[in-house]
Amino acid sequence: MNKIEEYNYNLVKNDIENIYKIFKDLLKEKDINTLILGWFQYFILICIEASNYVDIKNNFKYKKAIENCRARMKPLEIEYEKIYYNMEELNYKKMNEFKSYVKRGVREILKSIIPNYGVYKINNKIIGNTFLYESIYKKIIYENGQINTNKMVEVSKEIGSNISILINVFDINRHYDGIDRNISIINKDYNVFKCSNGLFKKCIDTNDGLILLNSISIINFYTNIICEMVTSKELKYRLGYIVYENTYNNILKSLEKIPNEKISKIMKKYECLKNEKFRNCMFHYSILYDLNESELKEEMFLGIISKYLSINEETYIKLINKYMIEIAEILEKDILK
């Protein structure tokens, strides 16, 4: 095993050990269900990619649902008009669902105050929302158009079982009790079906706001939860790039309809992180074919940062950190009340 192969193997091993510890940490939290909603897509990604790396054949019963969830971590490839239509349709669908819980005679009277949308906050920062999770886990939550809780449980068991196999493959020590961080999450519900609501500024179209709020939620979950729970620098800034790639491209799409000079300037500043080959290295594990011995460096990912982004590790870390803070702050200031 040469240096690149050894590093690559240890990189995967460390990620599996980290997500095992993260899961044990989550078991200590009173808001575990909300935290799992934010974490689960990353568990799926690592599970699939690590299994591919060690060539474990997955016979997932819910393979399509799991792969669909993984695919949704990548930027949206459809036109903004279609993204907008999908959000509008989801908004309408959820309002009808919640209206159905109200007695028929008072539905129309109460429709302006019926909450159909929920957000999850930590330190007054939105780290998740119900429409985002409905989108990410759509194929896991639903079966033939109906919510299927058994399917959700079975998918979770499949991922958990596969992670357990990977722990055995890499001979990872299971003796870890978990850390109790006492993460306190606040839930708040809104009616976003009406144009004027308690969440967005009056000048913001509701569905445009909901689309942008998905990116805010993903970024804030990274900075407030992932960065607090992940001890591995490599995993933290690998997931950081995945968050950047998803949100950067989705925000760019929104600018096609709602131009914003301040946001455009910030986006331009972080355009230097865009690189297809680097992105592929972050979404997949093998770097054996991306580096040769002469390109090896004492940095995260052995030199991938220098080769594809033409910056050093320190600059890369600073750019990822600053992107998360700056873009979230400007979006929150511009769209939220």
Side-chain angles (χ1 to χ4, degrees):
M1 186 181 290
N2 63 33
K3 187 173 181 178
I4 299 176
E5 291 171 328
E6 182 180 1
Y7 177 88
N8 215 153
Y9 178 87
N10 288 329
L11 179 69
V12 184
K13 178 179 179 178
N14 288 339
D15 280 4
I16 294 300
E17 184 173 9
N18 265 271
I19 63 167
Y20 169 67
K21 288 181 176 179
I22 289 163
F23 182 73
K24 294 283 280 188
D25 291 347
L26 290 173
L27 292 174
K28 298 276 188 177
E29 300 297 331
K30 64 180 178 63
D31 292 316
I32 179 175
N33 291 335
T34 303
L35 289 166
I36 283 287
L37 284 171
W39 266 113
F40 195 51
Q41 60 178 329
Y42 302 108
F43 287 175
I44 287 174
L45 172 72
I46 293 167
C47 178
I48 290 174
E49 295 303 331
S51 298
N52 290 339
Y53 180 80
V54 294
D55 199 26
I56 294 176
K57 300 301 180 186
N58 291 315
N59 295 311
F60 288 129
K61 180 180 177 181
Y62 298 106
K63 184 177 181 180
K64 287 185 178 179
I66 291 169
E67 289 180 345
N68 179 272
C69 174
R70 179 192 174 281
R72 287 170 186 263
M73 297 182 71
K74 294 184 178 181
L76 297 165
E77 296 182 349
I78 57 177
E79 294 300 316
Y80 187 79
E81 289 76 11
K82 178 64 174 174
I83 299 170
Y84 183 94
Y85 171 78
N86 288 343
M87 182 59 75
E88 190 174 42
E89 191 175 45
L90 177 58
N91 200 349
Y92 185 81
K93 171 187 167 187
K94 298 313 290 184
M95 176 48 69
N96 281 341
E97 178 184 327
F98 282 90
K99 277 171 63 177
S100 69
Y101 304 144
V102 179
K103 290 182 179 179
R104 186 182 298 273
V106 294
R107 285 178 189 172
E108 288 305 308
I109 299 172
L110 297 178
K111 71 177 182 180
S112 64
I113 60 171
I114 295 172
N116 67 327
Y117 179 81
V119 300
Y120 307 104
K121 292 183 176 183
I122 180 171
N123 300 326
N124 209 33
K125 293 285 186 180
I126 296 175
I127 60 164
N129 69 74
T130 53
F131 284 14
L132 172 65
Y133 297 142
E134 179 106 358
S135 172
I136 293 173
Y137 304 120
K138 183 176 181 179
K139 298 294 183 181
I140 294 174
I141 294 171
Y142 290 96
E143 189 81 54
N144 299 320
Q146 300 294 319
I147 292 176
N148 187 333
T149 53
N150 288 333
K151 182 178 179 181
M152 294 163 62
V153 171
E154 290 303 312
V155 171
S156 299
K157 284 181 178 178
E158 285 195 333
I159 296 299
S161 175
N162 213 67
I163 290 173
S164 182
I165 291 170
L166 288 165
I167 288 170
N168 291 334
V169 167
F170 287 103
D171 193 26
I172 292 169
N173 190 335
R174 293 175 183 262
H175 297 296
Y176 177 75
D177 294 329
I179 299 171
D180 182 0
R181 292 179 172 83
N182 195 27
I183 298 170
S184 181
I185 296 174
I186 295 173
N187 303 345
K188 188 164 183 180
D189 295 329
Y190 295 89
N191 178 320
V192 294
F193 189 67
K194 57 179 183 175
C195 293
S196 177
N197 57 65
L199 187 58
F200 300 118
K201 291 183 175 177
K202 288 183 179 180
C203 60
I204 300 297
D205 176 278
T206 299
N207 295 306
D208 288 329
L210 291 169
I211 292 165
L212 288 170
L213 194 51
N214 281 348
S215 289
I216 293 173
S217 298
I218 292 169
I219 290 170
N220 283 342
F221 188 86
Y222 174 78
T223 54
N224 290 274
I225 302 298
I226 292 177
C227 287
E228 292 300 314
M229 297 188 72
V230 175
T231 57
S232 162
K233 185 169 66 172
E234 284 84 357
L235 178 57
K236 182 185 295 184
Y237 289 102
R238 179 168 171 251
L239 295 182
Y241 191 84
I242 290 169
V243 168
Y244 159 83
E245 170 73 12
N246 174 292
T247 58
Y248 184 91
N249 287 280
N250 289 345
I251 293 167
L252 276 183
K253 278 186 178 290
S254 73
L255 292 176
E256 295 171 10
K257 182 186 175 187
I258 40 176
N260 185 305
E261 189 176 343
K262 290 182 292 184
I263 295 175
S264 295
K265 283 183 179 179
I266 292 175
M267 300 294 278
K268 191 70 177 176
K269 190 194 303 188
Y270 298 102
E271 189 178 25
C272 59
L273 290 169
K274 292 284 297 173
N275 184 283
E276 185 177 354
K277 289 185 176 179
F278 185 79
R279 179 200 66 190
N280 289 340
C281 290
M282 295 301 100
F283 270 92
H284 309 289
Y285 272 117
S286 181
I287 59 174
L288 298 178
Y289 307 108
D290 288 274
L291 290 171
N292 57 51
E293 292 287 337
S294 65
E295 295 172 319
L296 296 185
K297 292 186 180 294
E298 293 298 323
E299 66 176 32
M300 287 189 297
F301 320 121
L302 280 190
I304 293 294
I305 296 170
S306 299
K307 180 174 182 177
Y308 290 134
L309 300 181
S310 300
I311 56 177
N312 59 30
E313 176 186 323
E314 183 181 359
T315 302
Y316 170 75
I317 290 172
K318 285 181 179 178
L319 285 169
I320 292 292
N321 290 342
K322 288 178 68 177
Y323 166 80
M324 303 296 176
I325 294 168
E326 286 191 42
I327 201 64
E329 281 185 353
I330 191 68
L331 287 175
E332 288 167 344
K333 184 178 178 181
D334 280 13
I335 74 170
L336 298 178
K337 283 186 175 177

